[in-house]
Amino acid sequence: MRKIIWVGDSTAAFNGADTFPQTGIGQEFDRYCKREFIVLDFAVNGKSSKSFYDEGLFRPAELLLEPNDFLFVQFGHNDEKPKADRHTEPYTTYQEYLMRYVDVARSHSAFPVLITPLSRRLFQEDGTIENSHGEYPAAVKELGKREGIAVVDLTERSRILYEQTGELESRKWFMYFPSGTYENYKEEVKDNTHLSCEGAVKMAGLVAQELTSLGGIYAEILH
């Protein structure tokens, strides 16, 4: 059975019952895959491309990579943060760390896919979404073009989706709900970064659509 291995941050990570309904994109992506593929989600909350690699969190995923597997790499939210153990600069250290994952995938004859960070659901007064990721998405796309790596532009696809859907209706895709909605969340939650189960399914669908557009071996993943 061929594998799709996800590495990334909390927007991709697997969540247990204790944090339900929070759900990561990698957790729901297998809904879109052919049955001969298995999705393994190694993403970890709070990690950047740098900290995930430097802390040895990539090693278990690397050990499982085999020829013709896929490695999905989705970082950015925490690379932006100032803490030294996480921070990278878009066109230097961020790209350098992303290339470490790409090089490992290629050394195993696996196919790397870079995924730009999910847009935060931050509406401005004019109804458009704030660009909270700066140059990081552009750095991913530039690296992909330069090094011949497949890129899924989830930043742009999610931004368009939020704007088309509107502020109120798009809340359902996020951890955004009044107090008492869920037993394990006693207080009101207004989180515009982390996804609900429905949101993770929706964003995984955007990734699937982008892979379909890429065509070839990437479209072959999907049913």
Side-chain angles (χ1 to χ4, degrees):
M1 183 170 281
R2 294 170 67 187
K3 297 179 290 295
I4 299 167
I5 295 178
W6 281 71
V7 296
D9 54 40
S10 58
T11 61
F14 189 94
N15 287 258
D18 58 328
T19 54
F20 182 84
Q22 184 171 327
T23 309
I25 301 169
Q27 189 172 350
E28 297 296 334
F29 186 70
D30 60 355
R31 294 175 182 270
Y32 298 92
C33 298
K34 291 177 180 174
R35 296 190 62 143
E36 57 262 37
F37 288 90
I38 183 171
V39 179
L40 301 176
D41 188 354
F42 284 85
V44 177
N45 290 16
K47 301 306 175 183
S48 69
S49 63
K50 172 182 168 64
S51 62
F52 192 90
Y53 192 93
D54 288 351
E55 293 172 22
L57 297 172
F58 181 48
R59 184 60 177 161
E62 178 183 353
L63 292 172
L64 292 173
L65 275 171
E66 295 179 301
N68 297 315
D69 286 345
F70 290 82
L71 178 66
F72 287 8
V73 182
Q74 182 186 354
F75 291 104
H77 279 84
N78 300 301
D79 288 76
E80 306 161 10
K81 296 180 179 177
K83 292 185 67 174
D85 64 333
R86 302 185 198 180
H87 184 73
T88 60
E89 291 294 331
Y91 293 102
T92 54
T93 46
Y94 182 50
Q95 291 185 336
E96 289 163 11
Y97 271 97
L98 292 179
M99 277 305 301
R100 296 189 186 195
Y101 300 99
V102 169
D103 288 341
V104 167
R106 288 175 168 172
S107 73
H108 288 80
S109 298
F111 303 108
V113 177
L114 300 179
I115 304 174
T116 63
L118 177 74
S119 286
R120 297 182 178 95
R121 200 193 71 94
L122 300 175
F123 277 88
Q124 302 178 105
E125 289 186 4
D126 63 358
T128 61
I129 293 295
E130 175 187 335
N131 173 22
S132 66
H133 291 307
E135 289 297 307
Y136 289 87
V140 176
K141 290 185 283 187
E142 189 218 52
L143 179 65
K145 184 175 181 180
R146 186 175 76 229
E147 301 291 340
I149 311 160
V151 173
V152 168
D153 192 356
L154 186 58
T155 308
E156 181 67 4
R157 289 300 304 272
S158 56
R159 178 194 67 79
I160 292 170
L161 177 66
Y162 307 159
E163 291 180 358
Q164 289 177 340
T165 305
E167 196 281 328
L168 186 61
E169 186 65 20
S170 61
R171 291 179 186 179
K172 65 185 178 184
W173 295 324
F174 286 81
M175 294 290 287
Y176 198 110
F177 43 79
S179 60
T181 304
Y182 299 96
E183 287 187 6
N184 49 340
Y185 294 94
K186 303 302 182 185
E187 305 297 327
E188 178 183 41
V189 178
K190 292 184 175 181
D191 182 340
N192 292 307
T193 297
H194 298 102
L195 298 166
S196 66
C197 183
E198 184 176 353
V201 172
K202 188 72 174 178
M203 303 311 156
L206 295 182
V207 174
Q209 290 172 18
E210 285 285 283
L211 292 170
T212 299
S213 297
L214 286 172
I217 58 171
Y218 307 102
E220 291 172 7
I221 295 171
L222 311 167
H223 57 62

